Each structure stands twice: as structure tokens, then as C-alpha cells.
Amino acid sequence: MADCDQMGRSTHSMDKSITLPPDEIFRNLENAKRFAIDIGGSLTKLAYYSTVQHKVAKVRSFDHSVKETDDDPLYEISVQEEIFARLHFIKFENAYIETCLDFIKDHLVNTETKVIKATGGGAHKFKDLIEKKLKLKVDKEDEMTCLIKGCNFVLRNIPHEAFVYVKHADSEFRFQNTHPDIFPYLLVNIGSGVSIVKVESEDKFERIGGSSIGGGTFWGLGALLTKTRRFDELLQLASRGQHTNVDMLVKDIYGGSYGSLGLTGDLIASSFGKSATADKEFSKEDMAKSLLHMISNDIGQLACLYARLHNLSRVYFGGFFIRGHPVTMHTITYSINFFTKGEVQALFLRHEGYLGAIGAFLKGAEEDNPNQYSWGENYAGSSGLMSVSPELNPMQRARSGTFPFDMLEMDRLERKLVNLPLLQDPSSYIPDTVDLTEDALAREYWLYCFEEALDGVVKRAVASQPDLPQAAERAEKFRQKYRHKLQTLRHQPFAYGSLTVRSLLDTREHCLNEFNFPDPYSKIKQRENDMALKYFQKVVKSLEKLSWEQRQFALIKGLLAGNVFDWGAKAVSDVLESDPEFGFEEAKRQLQERPWLVDCFDQWIERLKGPPHKCALFFVDNSGIDIILGVFPFVRELLCRGTEVVLASNSGPALNDVTNGELQILTERIAAMDMIIQSGIKEDRLILVQSGSSSPCLDLSRLDKVLATVVRERHTDLVIIEGMGRAIHTNYYATLSCESLKLAVIKNSWLAERLGGKIFSVVFKFEQPGKSQGGHQ
Amino acid sequence: MEINGYHGEDGTADETEEEEMGGLKRLRTSKKETAAGLRAGAGMENVAAGASAPSERRASSAVARQRIDSLKKNRPPFPWFGMDIGGTLVKLVYFEPKDITAEEEQEEVENLKSIRRYLTSNVAYGSTGIRDVHLELKDLTLCGRTGNLHFIRFPTHDLPAFLQMGRDKHFSSLHTTLCATGGGAYKFEPDFRMMADLQLLKLDELDCLIRGVLYIDSVVPSGGPSECYYFENPTDPERCVQRPYTLENPYPLLLVNIGSGVSILAVYSKDNYKRVTGTSLGGGTFLGLCCLLTGCSTFEEALEMASQGESTRVDKLVRDIYGGDYERFGLPGWAVASSFGNMMCKEKRESISKEDLARATLVTITNNIGSITRMCALNENIERVVFVGNFLRVNTLSMKLLAYAMDYWSKGQLKALFLQHEGYFGAVGALLELLNPS
């Protein structure tokens, strides 16, 4: 690492006037434990583990055996404090290290921590300062080990961590799916020199090579040639230069291309070749550009030679030479494409700058077994890619009173998440239907949509906590935070990986949680559940009167009508809010007549005439009419057919989606009224599982491990996915290895039009592996 | 060859193949012209011969006559040149016949004589042309003629002066075929035609290079200094000595040609080779950076400075970072961790000399070539590496560095070999093409 003048100088220039905003930086320090620090040439990365206390909405069943009056609600809702584990990572310039240490010292109240894990080239330089300020013993960890540990961690836990950089494309960042098996891979770390590391498993890695021509060469040689001292400035010079003025190209030697070898005339034959023969002055910009090409090409070439020798196709690039610099990502990508003819892709990481800190932290936290859990990126607390890039965001730098910093927060998920075992090909599975990063029109629409809906969400949040203090203030903070996120995403759609309707929804949920609005819809869900339960038996009775074929159609229509009741969709929430009596029957009338927009109903009926399914996995959607009057009668029919049913609901709240806690109570109540449901539960033919998610959408590659086990043990052969969020915005194109039913009512006219329909169009997609798909439009 | 690129083992794109076919067509057309030139030349000779001594010929036996006739028929007229026009240097080989009979002497046109005298009686031409006398190969038999092979070079930017000279000496009146390779053969073809009325036979530089290497190695007499050599004990500076090496069974062989840029070829037999890869960090980069960093202007100057400098003041070594060896990864403390890495620091930038910078540039470029070569050798599974090209001329520093790097990083598996005629093989290959069209 570079212990250089710029850096050395800046470490002593501490600005005492800086006051740090405690709810923005170093959050949750009060409960912090297990610190780690990675001090590089110019940036410091601090990591700590903390617990966050958040309000959660809990439901608890009343004892219905004691009192049975119609007016009492079905269950009670209480808001409780719960403690969650969270990882905090902060990145700032070394210049502010002392300010930060002082701040931490002042805010670190009751920690039992005695040591701080440290890594990075600058760690030894600041050892005394850290020990003096924090009274923690500095414990050094090997840089490369930390780097690899960190890399494994982000690749495993953060979807869309890796990306391919394409300079002139609509979206410069092409995010990669999380591959179920991350090993083996090659990590090319370009610091002052280059290290090439082959990683074969969590604990097995080997430095298979390297090169002395790296970031230090660009910086050192660049400083000599151009008298420009700062690395960033050198890169800026380079981005304005013309390398062809300095380099000798193939056409300078051949007059054109070297045809028999297929080498084009524009290829560089000799870097700096022109400065050896031409007796003239060369511009700083041109020399910097030539140097950048020379070094990037050289590193790319070596990386390819090593990748080929070890037969590896996944090559990640990191180190300060790469870190968020579009210029170097472009030249490295170009070089890799040239030398491998596209066989190997240059991959970059969103959180590349944090790898060392994450790894050092993990080394110190081994007794907490962080690798046994799944972690999720918290969109509310993370700054996103390029948050402090000077070119992209000059505002942030200029903000007075504080300094530029970047944050990453990761929540420890309560459950270990895994792939749905029924995915046809986990490595190519993409949950999201539309990538808004690449689709500018759709992006515009949805960003507008979410901004429009913000007022309503704020209102709903305040109304959900009439008795809790500062609800209005908190809701206002939520509004600001989410609006800021939307603005960021407007300019940097790639900030958190591919932008999707799902990520917009999830970001909103994360922001709501951040300001202690764990479940703004809890009361509405409760009221609707109460109401719907009263109709359950009536609905079942009227279904029983129908012939078999009529009943099958009525059941599907019921599922679809139930699905109209969705507070997430603006068209519906408007109606629901103005007319609470909007009923089940009315919803049915609103539905599109057959043939539906996507209509596989005939195939479904044909299939039902065949042998029953062994076990159906049903990803449910909304509370109230949807789950009670739509889903349960359908489940009842499946049970009667001899099909086992696994109902998968969200672990945590999202909009008016039914949570696992609520569904347990509802199921008990329905079982009390209905013998078929009751015996289903008793005989273990109807079971409830958590999805592991708290999102209105569904990522089949991140599901509760228990769910996966149940699915496998019960030989599930039918998957039903219901609702816009789960079956349209996500999973519309998901291919499963068993039969699947995706059904939803399109409650958004823009989306309906895009799909070629109108509002309240119906999608009923039945897919059988190996059979050609029918029923499309 | 000086191209930064990778030449695939198999399947080039359709486009390229077309171009390649175009190249072949061009070659074939040129060959026809050569044949025409040959006949014209032979005719001239015959006319001259017919005037002087027709009886002697008739006196020789039929067999002998046939042999001589066939030799004469296939033998192009003098002068015999081979030329390699690179990005930086033009390399010229000239065969000076020493077995000229009295009658030949008489018949020889004045222009030819004057060229021969000019080339063989000087060691320098103009201000930049140089004849490498120490490389001259004496008493060589080529196409039935005995003579000396001369090795001449001058900078590519002085090519116009060379063409002017050819024009002044009425070179075109000799109706000779000028075989040329290197990129310049393509780039300057119109200049040859327009300025000197000369038609070039353009040849592929890699074909010529390999042909030249194999030929020179085979004809250099065993008595004198061996063409091929290596360094014994490359990792021990005290005991490191140059030793002759016999390239008897040369295949497979990795041939690394370091000119302005670098080409790396895997050679499996006389006519089976592929270009594995190349790098743009070559001799041109060394000289270019040295010129910018130190203000020098020639390769010799740059080398002289490098020999007096200390690269460890400029480079950041493993021990500068880790205090010693980085044992976890088996990196010795003396290894360079970051070339020019110390130059990130202002104080250090102010404390180094131009000689240090020249040395660091040389070490950086040389080691990089070494490491790419080593990776290619591993990927191609080849253990013998021959380094050629003018970057190595009078550059023992780089040769020893390469020998060291090959030996150390491969734990003795790889052997670095060098050749006396470093940069002239392309030109020799071009000459051979003139005499024995393949």
C-alpha cells in the first residue's frame, strides 16, 4: 500500500470544526462491539458489529373459547421492541481518522471490547493513535486473508454484488446473479503492485502470481511524467488524453493493419514508442492516457494468462487502482476482452473497498459464527455505489460541517436463506422481470410512481401509530430519507445493483423500519381479516353447490378477485380508502372476462382431471379477502383432491401482505369452522412455513432453509405464486422443474398496457415442464 | 514483430482469413514479378556471357552444365539483400560474393560494383547507419556462391535518406528484387516505388524471423563463438558466465522477439509455429520512457545511464512493505512489489538520479517481458526460450535479468537462450526468401 506524501500530509491536517451527525455516521455506536479497521493508502474503512433495537408488530390470538362476541377483533396487535444484529461499515479519507476516533471514543458507552482487528498497509502507522484514543489493543491481521474472507462474504450475501462494466451502454453496470457456488474464482488485486489470487473454497486460497506493474507504477511514473501528484488527478488527466500521440500503433509501423495476424491498425504496438523517436513535447494528458493503457493492458494480459493456466473463468478485480474509477474499469475490461476474445469477463464488486474491513471483522467475530447466518444489505443505511465519487456527486463533497463518507450496513437475517430446490437452473435464475437500470422508460415511470405514492405511505404510517410518540416527526424523516433514495436512484440507478420494482419496494420497507414503522398496515390487515372471516363459510357453501367444473372456475376467480385487494397498488388503495365496503363480489365484476391476458385455464382444468398433485407450495399474498376468501377455499379443494399444501408467507411485514404470524392465527380460526382444514392440519397435510422474506416481492434464490427442506421432503410437484409483486414484478419468467401456476390481477394501468392489456387484466399462467406453453395473449 | 496482440491457435475470424488470402495473393503476384525479374537478369547475363566465352560452357560435361544451369536459373542476380523494416530500426543484410571470377568482374556493371564497394569498405553510413562488423559471417556459401554476410542497421526515420541514396546510385537499373519484411515493407512500399523506382517483395515478418533464426544457427561455424548461448548460474552474480549452447533439437521452442514491442511465438517445427501473444511493453517503451524521464535521446545513452543507476531507489520492494520476505506467499524481500512505487512519494521523487530512473525503466520492462514469457511457456508447456530482437543488443543487463527471472521463478525449469545476431533474423529470412522462395 502506498504511504505517500499526499496521504502523509493529510493525516495531520485534522479539521476540528467538523461535527459529525450521529444519526448519519457511526450509527448505533452505543451497542457497538467487535471493531475492525482497514487503513489503506488513502481511505480508512471501519467496521463494527452492533445491535439495533427496532419496534416490531406482533400478533397474539385472543382466547376465543372464553368469549365469543362478534365485535371483538380476532387477534390483538402489540408493538414490541426487538433486537437485531447489524454490521456497520464506514469508509472515509485517512485525513479524518483522528476526528473519527475521537467521535467513537465519546460515543462508545458500554462496550466490553478489548481489541480492534486491523489490516491494510496503513494499520501500523496508526497503531499508536488507535490504541491511545480507543484504549483498544490493535491486533493485526494478514491483508490478503482479510481480502479473501471479505470477498467470499459479499459474494455470498449481497445479491448483485458483482458487475461487468460496459462503458458506452445505456447502463454502464451489468450486475451478475449471485451464483449458488461462488468458487473457484480469481481475484486480481491491483494495489501499488498486483496480486493474483486463486480462491478455491472458504479457507483455501493461493497467491498464484502477481506483477510489480500496478497502481503504484501508474501513480509513481505518472507523477514523474506529468508533475501531477494526486492519483485522482492523474486519472482525470488520462481521461482527457489521446494515447495515439505517444504510443506507436500497428498502423504507425504497417501503414494499416497487420492482416495476416488479424491485428488492427489501432492496436498499440509499442507503448510510449513515439516518445522514443519523435523529438517533441508530449502533453500531460496524452502521457497519462498512454500510461493508463500500458498498465491496464499489461495487468489484463497477465490476468488472462493466469486464468487460462488455472482454467478459471470468473475473474474479479479490486484494489485502489480500480475502486469506483470508471476509467480504469473500462481499460481493464477492454484489455480482458481483447486478450480472451470475450471468453473471460472482467468482474468488479460494488463493495470492493470494504473487503479488507469485512474480512478483518469476520476474523475477530469468529465466535459469533457470522458465516452461519444469511445477511442482507440494508438499503436504508447503505450509501450505494459511487456515493462519494467526486465526478458524480460534487454536492456530497462540498457539504459543509461534515466530510464525505460512504456506508454499508448489513442486517443479520433471522434465518439462513437458500435456493428453492425446484428452480430449473439456479445459476441463471433472475427474480426480477424488468431491469429498470436498463429500461429507461420503465425506470422513469416507476420512480415517478413511488414518489407519487409517498404521501399516502407517510399518512398511513402516522395513522398506524396513534398512541406512539413522535410518529409524525418520524414519518417526516422517513419521507425525506426515501425521497432522497429515489433522487439518488434517478441519477445513479445502479447504486444498489440492478434497479427493480422489487428493490424500490424493499428500500421503502427498509426506510420504514429505520424510523420504527414496522407494520403500517397492521390495523387495516386486522380489520380486513376480521371482516373476511365472517364470510368464509358462506363462500364455501356457495362453492359446494357448484358442479365440479364450475367450482374449479369459481375457485380461480375467487383467487383472482381476492388478489384485487392490494394496498400496494395505488388504483386499489384509492378505492379501498374511499369505499371500505368494496366487496368481494364487486371485485369479481371488475375482473377481465375470459379469455384473460394470459389464459392457461383450459390446460389447468385438463390437468385437474388427471392425478392429484403430491404436494403444492403456495406463496400467498395479501391479508383479508385474498387469503381468507380466495386462497383458503382453493386450499380446501386441493386437500380434498389428496394434495398436501404448504402455505408460505412472509416472515416479516410488507404492505398488507399476510405475515406468518397472522396466518397462523387465521388458519386456527378457519380450522375451527371448517373440518377439511382442521383435519388437514391435524394430519399434517396442511402446513405453514415462513418464506424468510419481508418483501412484497419474491426472490426464489433467497428462501428460508426450513422451507427448502419441507419442499424437498414432501416431493413438492406444484408451485403456486400469487400476486403482482411475486408473480409479475418477479418470477414471471422463472422456470421451475415442476408444474407451476402464476396468477395475478394487473392493478396498474401502465404495466397492463405494457403487457398488452388494460387495468384489472388477468394473468393466469400454468406451466408444465417439458410441455409447450399455451394461452399467451 | 512489434505488436501487442494475441494470435489464436485456431480459427481466425472470416474477415481475417480473407485478408490472409489477400496477403497470399499479393505474395503470389509478387512472385510472378520476381520470376520475370529473374528472366530479365538471366538474359542480361547470357548476353554478356555469349559475348565473351561461349566455348568454355560448351566444353563442360552435360551433367555439370545442367547443374550449373539450374543453379544459375534459380539464382537471382546480384546484389543480394534482405531487409527488415521495423518500427524503430531498419535491418539490412548484404551478401558480398568473394568468389567473383575475373570475367564476372569485367561483366559486372558499374552500379553493382559501387554498391559493393560502398557497403563493404565502410562501417558507418551517413550519420546513423552502422555495420555491425563483429557479426559479419565470413566464407559463407549461399546458392553455390561463397562470400561474406554483412549486417547493417539504421533508424527507420532515416529511410528517406536511404531511398535517396538508392536513387542516386541507380539501384533500380540493376533490376534486382528487394525482399523486405517488417511493417515498414507495407508502410513504405509506395515510397520505394516512387522515390527509388524499386519494387518490394513483401514478406511476413514472423515467417522470416523463424527462417532466419534456424538458418543462422545452422551455418555459424563451430570453431568460432557459438551463435546460441546461455548464462550459467544466473542466480549467482559472482559465478554467472556466458556459455555456448547447441540448438540441435530446438523444438518445441518459445521465441521471444523484443523489438519496439514484443512478439512471443511457439515454434514446433520448421514450418509449424503460432504467435502466442505479444506485449506493447518493449524496447520502444524502454527508450520512450527513458527519453521522457531523463532527456536522453539514444538507446546506447539510455543503456549507459541504466548501467550506472540503482533501481531499488525507484521501485518499492517487498521488504519495503513487509520489512523482509512475505513468507506467507513465498515472496523474497528483494522482489519488486511495485515498479516506480517509491515515486508516489514526493521526497523520494526528489532524491533519485536520472541513472536510477533509467535503470528502473530497464528493470521494469525486462522483468515484465520475463513474466509474460514465463506464463506463456507454462501455458504452452515449453521449456526452452530463445530471446532475440534489438532490445538485447549490447544489453547484458537485460539478458542476465531475463536469465535470472526464467530460472528463479520456474525453479530451474526454464532455460533462457540468446543469439549473437539478436535483431537481424528477420532480414536474414528475407534474404533466404530471395534465394530459395518457399
Side-chain angles (χ1 to χ4, degrees):
Chain A
M1 268 291 148
D3 48 328
C4 179
D5 50 333
Q6 293 68 359
M7 305 171 168
R9 176 177 44 93
S10 53
T11 53
H12 301 296
S13 65
M14 184 191 59
D15 190 347
K16 281 285 180 196
S17 68
I18 287 173
T19 47
L20 298 178
D23 35 338
E24 283 181 41
I25 187 171
F26 300 120
R27 288 144 37 94
N28 304 309
L29 260 185
E30 306 75 42
N31 311 306
K33 56 174 188 171
R34 301 207 197 290
F35 283 85
I37 195 163
D38 172 11
I39 307 176
S42 54
L43 294 174
T44 295
K45 283 78 67 175
L46 189 85
Y48 57 91
Y49 175 87
S50 183
T51 47
V52 202
Q53 214 166 8
H54 266 313
K55 291 194 166 45
V56 288
K58 288 275 175 186
V59 289
R60 195 164 63 90
S61 186
F62 287 118
D63 189 353
H64 290 277
S65 57
V66 180
K67 56 179 205 164
E68 277 279 357
T69 59
D70 273 2
D71 299 333
D72 277 337
L74 174 67
Y75 53 84
E76 66 174 339
I77 306 161
S78 62
V79 174
Q80 297 168 10
E81 294 282 338
E82 227 169 69
I83 288 170
F84 298 95
R86 185 176 286 177
L87 284 177
H88 295 260
F89 302 97
I90 300 106
K91 181 163 72 182
F92 49 85
E93 284 178 34
N94 288 357
Y96 306 105
I97 200 162
E98 199 164 345
T99 315
C100 291
L101 291 175
D102 281 330
F103 183 87
I104 295 170
K105 184 184 67 186
D106 294 344
H107 289 78
L108 198 59
V109 194
N110 42 9
T111 183
E112 290 156 23
T113 302
K114 295 277 184 288
V115 293
I116 178 166
K117 290 283 179 189
T119 187
H124 68 275
K125 209 159 117 190
F126 292 96
K127 184 173 180 281
D128 293 342
L129 186 70
I130 298 168
E131 295 197 331
K132 195 182 86 196
K133 294 266 180 194
L134 296 186
K135 309 267 183 297
L136 296 176
K137 190 179 159 296
V138 171
D139 196 0
K140 271 215 75 173
E141 287 292 339
D142 175 69
E143 215 174 322
M144 196 61 71
T145 311
C146 292
L147 203 62
I148 303 297
K149 264 192 171 305
C151 193
N152 292 341
F153 188 77
V154 295
L155 284 176
R156 211 176 310 100
N157 287 293
I158 305 188
H160 292 174
E161 175 61 33
F163 61 88
V164 168
Y165 185 80
V166 194
K167 192 183 177 189
H168 297 294
D170 279 348
S171 129
E172 296 160 291
F173 303 85
R174 299 247 167 93
F175 295 97
Q176 306 290 298
N177 293 317
T178 319
H179 207 275
D181 190 8
I182 61 171
F183 305 110
Y185 66 85
L186 203 61
L187 179 67
V188 181
N189 193 52
I190 315 174
S192 46
V194 181
S195 280
I196 300 175
V197 187
K198 176 184 176 182
V199 186
E200 285 176 284
S201 72
E202 190 57 51
D203 302 304
K204 193 175 171 213
F205 68 89
E206 185 192 354
R207 185 188 188 275
I208 54 173
S211 168
S212 68
I213 299 186
T217 315
F218 177 71
W219 194 343
L221 201 43
L224 288 168
L225 291 171
T226 67
K227 314 278 179 261
T228 303
R229 289 160 55 167
R230 287 185 59 98
F231 180 71
D232 290 3
E233 285 169 24
L234 275 169
L235 281 182
Q236 277 168 21
L237 277 182
S239 60
R240 296 195 298 266
Q242 270 296 336
H243 75 100
T244 51
N245 293 334
V246 183
D247 291 340
M248 189 184 281
L249 310 184
V250 167
K251 68 178 171 207
D252 293 323
I253 300 174
Y254 270 80
S257 66
Y258 183 0
S260 65
L261 284 187
L263 302 176
T264 64
D266 288 326
L267 280 181
I268 304 169
S270 174
S271 295
F272 286 90
K274 277 182 188 152
S275 58
T277 48
D279 202 12
K280 62 162 194 170
E281 287 288 306
F282 294 91
S283 83
K284 290 178 176 186
E285 286 82 359
D286 294 349
M287 289 189 289
K289 183 60 170 279
S290 174
L291 187 61
L292 178 68
H293 275 298
M294 174 180 111
I295 288 167
S296 301
N297 285 340
D298 192 55
I299 295 170
Q301 179 172 27
L302 275 170
C304 292
L305 287 166
Y306 278 101
R308 190 173 306 143
L309 188 65
H310 293 264
N311 203 16
L312 297 168
S313 59
R314 266 174 289 174
V315 185
Y316 299 99
F317 286 86
F320 82 72
F321 185 69
I322 296 293
R323 202 149 302 160
H325 300 297
V327 202
T328 55
M329 287 195 283
H330 173 63
T331 51
I332 287 282
T333 300
Y334 181 87
S335 168
I336 292 284
N337 286 344
F338 176 79
F339 284 109
T340 68
K341 300 193 172 106
E343 277 167 39
V344 173
Q345 280 191 318
L347 295 166
F348 305 96
L349 300 169
R350 278 202 287 140
H351 299 101
E352 189 277 321
Y354 287 110
L355 302 186
I358 295 175
F361 170 81
L362 292 172
K363 280 293 266 186
E366 267 157 6
E367 61 190 79
D368 288 337
N369 286 320
N371 272 330
Q372 276 187 2
Y373 296 89
S374 285
W375 297 77
E377 179 179 13
N378 188 304
Y379 296 136
S382 303
S383 334
L385 193 59
M386 302 214 162
S387 72
V388 286
S389 165
E391 301 108 290
L392 263 163
N393 207 346
M395 294 301 293
Q396 189 129 14
R397 250 173 198 270
R399 216 165 63 177
S400 61
T402 180
F403 55 80
F405 58 88
D406 184 277
M407 298 195 302
L408 164 66
E409 293 188 2
M410 294 183 73
D411 290 323
R412 192 178 80 189
L413 307 176
E414 292 311 297
R415 342 199 39 106
K416 180 104 182 167
L417 303 182
V418 297
N419 274 316
L420 178 69
L422 297 169
L423 279 176
Q424 182 73 271
D425 175 19
S427 60
S428 67
Y429 168 71
I430 302 169
D432 306 286
T433 306
V434 180
D435 183 346
L436 303 180
T437 334
E438 288 179 3
D439 189 335
L441 268 178
R443 178 169 74 236
E444 199 110 312
Y445 171 76
W446 286 110
L447 283 171
Y448 166 81
C449 225
F450 276 85
E451 199 145 348
E452 276 288 284
L454 191 50
D455 279 342
V457 178
V458 169
K459 228 167 87 192
R460 172 89 21 237
V462 177
S464 73
Q465 298 184 350
D467 315 321
L468 288 175
Q470 289 109 36
E473 287 93 324
R474 279 186 287 117
E476 201 46 48
K477 280 186 180 170
F478 154 76
R479 183 210 299 277
Q480 282 169 19
K481 181 123 197 173
Y482 190 57
R483 177 167 291 157
H484 179 72
K485 292 277 168 196
L486 290 175
Q487 277 160 3
T488 306
L489 288 168
R490 206 176 281 280
H491 299 114
Q492 289 147 251
F494 48 78
Y496 300 96
S498 288
L499 183 67
T500 59
V501 174
R502 176 169 63 110
S503 72
L504 285 167
L505 284 164
D506 289 353
T507 306
R508 191 165 73 186
E509 295 298 327
H510 290 178
C511 290
L512 279 167
N513 275 325
E514 197 57 46
F515 296 99
N516 273 316
F517 293 106
D519 194 357
Y521 289 86
S522 56
K523 294 237 160 61
I524 292 175
K525 288 188 287 183
Q526 182 194 39
R527 203 172 61 229
E528 287 178 0
N529 285 334
D530 278 340
M531 243 167 52
L533 268 178
K534 292 179 185 134
Y535 289 98
F536 176 74
Q537 280 168 308
K538 202 173 146 199
V539 168
V540 169
K541 269 199 197 96
S542 69
L543 282 166
E544 278 174 342
K545 284 185 204 134
L546 301 171
S547 69
W548 182 84
E549 195 137 353
Q550 281 176 325
R551 189 165 70 245
Q552 300 315 312
F553 184 63
L555 282 168
I556 295 300
K557 220 171 159 192
L559 268 180
L560 293 165
N563 199 244
V564 173
F565 294 82
D566 182 351
W567 284 84
K570 195 174 181 301
V572 179
S573 60
D574 285 349
V575 183
L576 285 175
E577 212 134 359
S578 62
D579 179 12
E581 294 303 315
F582 185 79
F584 194 40
E585 295 306 317
E586 268 178 77
K588 283 186 190 166
R589 278 194 293 278
Q590 291 272 10
L591 285 181
Q592 182 191 15
E593 289 296 323
R594 283 195 68 196
W596 295 321
L597 187 58
V598 177
D599 195 337
C600 303
F601 184 72
D602 295 339
Q603 288 95 315
W604 172 243
I605 284 293
E606 275 315 300
R607 174 62 190 87
L608 288 183
K609 288 174 183 163
H613 294 94
K614 169 81 183 61
C615 172
L617 169 67
F618 198 137
F619 288 99
V620 300
D621 189 9
N622 305 310
S623 293
I625 292 174
D626 188 352
I627 182 79
I628 296 166
L629 305 182
V631 175
F632 267 102
F634 183 82
V635 167
R636 212 173 156 273
E637 183 78 11
L638 284 174
L639 290 169
C640 291
R641 271 173 65 80
T643 302
E644 293 175 15
V645 179
V646 179
L647 286 180
S649 53
N650 268 4
S651 301
L655 294 172
N656 66 328
D657 292 3
V658 65
T659 63
N660 186 256
E662 290 157 354
L663 189 56
Q664 280 182 7
I665 296 169
L666 295 179
T667 311
E668 267 171 47
R669 286 291 288 151
I670 291 170
M673 303 186 263
D674 187 288
M675 280 314 292
I676 293 172
I677 299 291
Q678 194 178 68
S679 62
I681 287 171
K682 271 199 191 132
E683 292 157 21
D684 202 31
R685 290 188 297 113
L686 170 61
I687 61 161
L688 309 181
V689 294
Q690 305 192 26
S691 66
S693 155
S694 303
S695 163
C697 294
L698 180 64
D699 180 352
L700 296 176
S701 67
R702 279 166 77 82
L703 291 175
D704 194 327
K705 204 175 177 179
V706 176
L707 184 150
T709 313
V710 168
V711 160
R712 213 178 280 115
E713 281 172 1
R714 302 206 168 213
H715 305 287
T716 303
D717 52 356
L718 174 65
V719 174
I720 303 162
I721 307 176
E722 184 205 10
M724 282 229 294
R726 292 176 182 78
I728 305 289
H729 292 315
T730 53
N731 300 309
Y732 190 69
Y733 298 117
T735 323
L736 301 179
S737 58
C738 67
E739 291 177 24
S740 66
L741 206 50
K742 294 167 190 166
L743 48 101
V745 180
I746 315 286
K747 287 152 288 191
N748 170 297
S749 50
W750 184 87
L751 184 65
E753 262 168 52
R754 238 191 185 215
L755 294 169
K758 281 190 290 211
I759 190 147
F760 298 121
S761 284
V762 169
V763 169
F764 186 85
K765 199 176 185 187
F766 176 53
E767 288 161 299
Q768 293 165 286
K771 290 210 178 167
S772 63
Q773 309 302 327
H776 279 248
Q777 287 145 45
Chain B
M1 202 7 243
E2 17 228 355
I3 281 117
N4 170 26
Y6 174 72
H7 185 42
E9 307 169 34
D10 45 33
T12 29
D14 287 348
E15 212 180 69
T16 320
E17 263 169 9
E18 268 172 39
E19 271 184 67
E20 246 172 326
M21 292 191 30
L24 276 173
K25 263 185 236 152
R26 271 204 305 277
L27 256 172
R28 266 188 227 113
T29 356
S30 314
K31 264 181 205 153
K32 264 185 223 151
E33 284 157 16
T34 318
L38 256 168
R39 274 198 299 279
M44 256 171 59
E45 235 177 292
N46 279 345
V47 172
S52 60
S55 55
E56 272 184 36
R57 282 238 180 116
R58 266 179 236 121
S60 20
S61 79
V63 178
R65 198 176 73 196
Q66 250 181 3
R67 198 175 57 83
I68 289 165
D69 279 358
S70 80
L71 260 177
K72 282 190 91 169
K73 218 179 265 172
N74 289 322
R75 201 158 59 199
F78 290 124
W80 293 354
F81 281 112
M83 201 173 197
D84 176 4
I85 312 169
T88 313
L89 284 176
V90 178
K91 283 76 68 176
L92 190 69
V93 293
Y94 169 64
F95 182 78
E96 173 205 2
K98 296 297 272 187
D99 54 357
I100 299 177
T101 57
E103 6 169 346
E104 264 184 315
E105 179 92 33
Q106 262 186 349
E107 289 165 15
E108 198 176 30
V109 290
E110 199 46 46
N111 286 341
L112 193 56
K113 261 187 209 127
S114 116
I115 286 167
R116 192 173 72 227
R117 254 183 262 122
Y118 175 72
L119 290 176
T120 55
S121 58
N122 290 308
V123 293
Y125 315 94
S127 57
T128 53
I130 285 167
R131 181 155 63 88
D132 282 311
V133 183
H134 67 286
L135 294 179
E136 181 178 336
L137 290 175
K138 290 203 157 75
D139 302 323
L140 205 64
T141 306
L142 258 175
C143 264
R145 300 301 301 254
T146 307
N148 298 343
L149 200 55
H150 297 276
F151 297 87
I152 298 161
R153 62 184 150 92
F154 59 88
T156 305
H157 61 74
D158 286 333
L159 193 68
F162 173 80
L163 292 177
Q164 189 59 46
M165 187 194 77
R167 192 171 144 136
D168 295 346
K169 292 191 181 295
H170 302 288
F171 204 91
S172 62
S173 68
L174 298 170
H175 299 289
T176 187
T177 307
L178 199 49
C179 279
T181 186
Y186 295 85
K187 185 180 178 185
F188 299 110
E189 191 190 16
D191 297 323
F192 273 85
R193 203 171 49 239
M194 269 142 32
M195 289 179 66
D197 193 25
L198 283 169
Q199 197 68 42
L200 287 186
L201 176 56
K202 303 188 294 292
L203 301 164
D204 181 80
E205 59 176 291
L206 300 184
D207 291 342
C208 289
L209 173 69
I210 288 171
R211 207 165 167 187
V213 166
L214 297 175
Y215 174 77
I216 294 291
D217 185 66
S218 70
V219 296
V220 167
S222 51
S226 161
E227 176 64 18
C228 185
Y229 60 95
Y230 71 102
F231 289 91
E232 199 175 62
N233 306 314
T235 52
D236 181 354
E238 303 277 290
R239 292 166 51 230
C240 178
V241 279
Q242 192 173 323
R243 293 268 183 233
Y245 186 87
T246 324
L247 258 187
E248 262 173 328
N249 284 311
Y251 312 111
L253 161 84
L254 207 62
L255 184 59
V256 183
N257 186 28
I258 316 174
S260 312
V262 183
S263 266
I264 300 178
L265 317 176
V267 188
Y268 299 102
S269 74
K270 197 163 74 63
D271 358 76
N272 180 13
Y273 76 90
K274 68 175 180 189
R275 181 172 187 273
V276 179
T277 191
T279 166
S280 70
L281 286 83
T285 316
F286 163 64
L287 184 54
L289 281 175
C290 270
C291 292
L292 293 171
L293 291 171
T294 70
C296 73
S297 55
T298 67
F299 182 65
E300 288 76 7
E301 231 181 303
L303 275 186
E304 176 58 27
M305 286 175 112
S307 70
Q308 285 161 27
E310 186 62 69
S311 63
T312 52
R313 283 198 278 263
V314 177
D315 293 339
K316 185 172 288 222
L317 308 186
V318 168
R319 65 164 178 256
D320 296 333
I321 301 174
Y322 295 98
D325 299 348
Y326 190 4
E327 279 162 23
R328 190 169 184 325
F329 294 127
L331 286 176
W334 52 258
V336 183
S338 172
S339 298
F340 287 84
N342 279 340
M343 299 297 93
M344 289 188 277
C345 178
K346 187 164 175 282
E347 290 76 41
K348 288 189 175 155
R349 279 203 294 276
E350 283 159 0
S351 74
I352 43 93
S353 68
K354 289 181 169 185
E355 286 75 13
D356 294 339
L357 289 173
R359 178 64 164 253
T361 311
L362 187 78
V363 170
T364 302
I365 300 296
T366 307
N367 277 339
N368 189 61
I369 294 169
S371 99
I372 291 173
T373 301
R374 197 172 61 82
M375 287 310 296
C376 291
L378 280 172
N379 270 321
E380 301 301 321
N381 203 16
I382 295 177
E383 289 182 356
R384 239 173 329 195
V385 184
V386 178
F387 291 95
V388 295
N390 267 323
F391 173 67
L392 299 175
R393 194 174 61 78
V394 295
N395 187 358
T396 318
L397 264 176
S398 286
M399 286 192 278
K400 286 191 172 173
L401 265 172
L402 286 170
Y404 185 115
M406 289 300 109
D407 187 86
Y408 182 88
W409 295 107
S410 75
K411 300 193 174 70
Q413 281 291 299
L414 290 174
K415 198 168 200 77
L417 304 170
F418 304 93
L419 299 174
Q420 300 283 2
H421 287 85
E422 290 130 359
Y424 283 107
F425 299 108
V428 171
L431 173 66
L432 295 173
E433 186 64 34
L434 171 73
L435 304 176
N436 297 304
S438 54

